[in-house]
């Protein structure tokens, strides 16, 4: 367990609606499956051949085609394999509201046979970071609390500066890929017909769709000049105004520093 101080800190930093510890209770619609193999710490293959991408978390990337593994990618995969061996390679699978990604993988919240959340376990161990992809936010508050304990203890990925405090928006390393945590000052706020744009120093634009504004409790115009920490997928995009873009559709992906 973690202290009331950690919970209070999360409440103060959040740009989302008030955080409740929530619960990761097994839903009635969950189905018990056998697991064939672990692909990495956020992707599995079931015995029936279906690949499953875990909702709400992102793991460091394993190296392919001559690339090196990202730190803790191999350790996270091995820890998940050991956990599944311990429970006989069985998991409860609960499909998300959006049940399939663009690669055809099933999007699901997973549970161990004793009904404990697999995502929460991975977050508590520091093998993965939380991500927020609507509409699959059913356990977002529960996952946030699980991650907070690993962050406080500097477990796994949270022992790395790239995660805590994150990458400076002015010093993004060449070759950065996948989900990241960045921090930087808001130097400009722009608007278009479909989006609000928070432009960070260093040429990073946070794209917030207008149709997602109901998931942000704080007025975005109040963030001018503030330093933020943002998490999401970093997309290279050379334009007149910025070199990088991160799309954010939930206020829990932003923290005011």
């Amino acid at each position: 367990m973690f202290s009331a101080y950690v919970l209070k800190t999360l409440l103060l930093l959040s740009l989302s609606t008030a955080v409740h510890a929530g619960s990761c209770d097994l839903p009635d619609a969950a189905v018990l499956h056998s697991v064939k193999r672990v692909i990495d710490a956020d992707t599995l293959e079931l015995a029936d051949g279906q690949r499953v991408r875990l909702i709400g978390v992102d793991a460091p990337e394993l190296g392919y085609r001559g690339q090196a593994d990202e730190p803790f990618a191999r350790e996270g995969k091995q820890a998940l394999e050991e956990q599944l061996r311990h429970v006989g390679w069985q998991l409860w699978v609960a499909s998300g509201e959006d049940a399939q990604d663009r690669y055809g993988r099933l999007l699901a919240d997973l549970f161990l046979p004793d009904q404990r959340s697999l995502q929460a376990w991975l977050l508590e161990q520091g093998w993965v970071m939380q991500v927020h992809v609507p509409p699959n936010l059913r356990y977002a508050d529960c996952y946030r609390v699980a991650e907070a304990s690993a962050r406080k203890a500097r477990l796994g990925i949270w022992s790395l500066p790239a995660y805590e405090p994150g990458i400076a928006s002015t010093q993004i390393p060449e070759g950065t890929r996948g989900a990241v945590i960045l921090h930087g000052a808001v130097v400009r706020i722009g608007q278009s017909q479909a989006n609000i744009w928070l432009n960070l120093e260093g040429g990073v634009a946070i794209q917030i769709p207008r149709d997602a504004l109901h998931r942000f409790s704080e007025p975005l115009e109040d963030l001018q000049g503030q330093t933020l920490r943002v998490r999401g997928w970093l997309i290279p995009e050379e334009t007149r105004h910025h070199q990088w873009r991160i799309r954010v559709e939930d206020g829990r992906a932003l923290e005011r520093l």
Side-chain angles (χ1 to χ4, degrees), residues 126-194:
W127 301 127
V128 298
M129 63 179 270
Q130 184 180 16
V131 292
H132 309 81
V133 183
N136 293 337
L137 299 171
R138 172 170 45 186
Y139 298 112
D141 288 339
C142 176
Y143 293 165
R144 187 175 191 177
V145 170
E147 182 190 86
S149 62
R151 287 179 71 176
K152 182 185 179 186
R154 297 292 191 264
L155 297 178
I157 61 175
W158 302 107
S159 65
L160 303 171
Y163 288 87
E164 189 67 64
I167 301 168
S169 62
T170 56
Q171 299 176 351
I172 299 173
E174 185 176 350
T176 300
R177 57 196 172 110
V180 299
I181 296 177
L182 296 181
H183 62 87
V186 178
V187 296
R188 178 178 174 272
I189 300 177
Q191 299 190 33
S192 62
Q193 184 174 356

Side-chain angles (χ1 to χ4, degrees), residues 51 63 74 79 149 156 180 227 236 254:
R51 291 198 175 191
R74 190 71 53 181
S149 62
V180 299
T227 299
L254 297 179

Side-chain angles (χ1 to χ4, degrees), residues 90-134:
Q90 299 286 304
L91 287 175
W92 292 98
V93 177
S95 299
E97 182 178 342
D98 184 0
Q100 193 173 72
D101 70 6
R102 59 179 176 160
Y103 303 109
R105 298 176 300 187
L106 176 66
L107 297 171
D109 297 289
L110 303 180
F111 298 81
L112 297 165
D114 64 3
Q115 303 188 11
R116 287 180 296 142
S117 165
L118 184 64
Q119 274 98 326
W121 178 80
L122 287 164
L123 287 161
E124 289 167 353
Q125 302 300 311
W127 301 127
V128 298
M129 63 179 270
Q130 184 180 16
V131 292
H132 309 81
V133 183

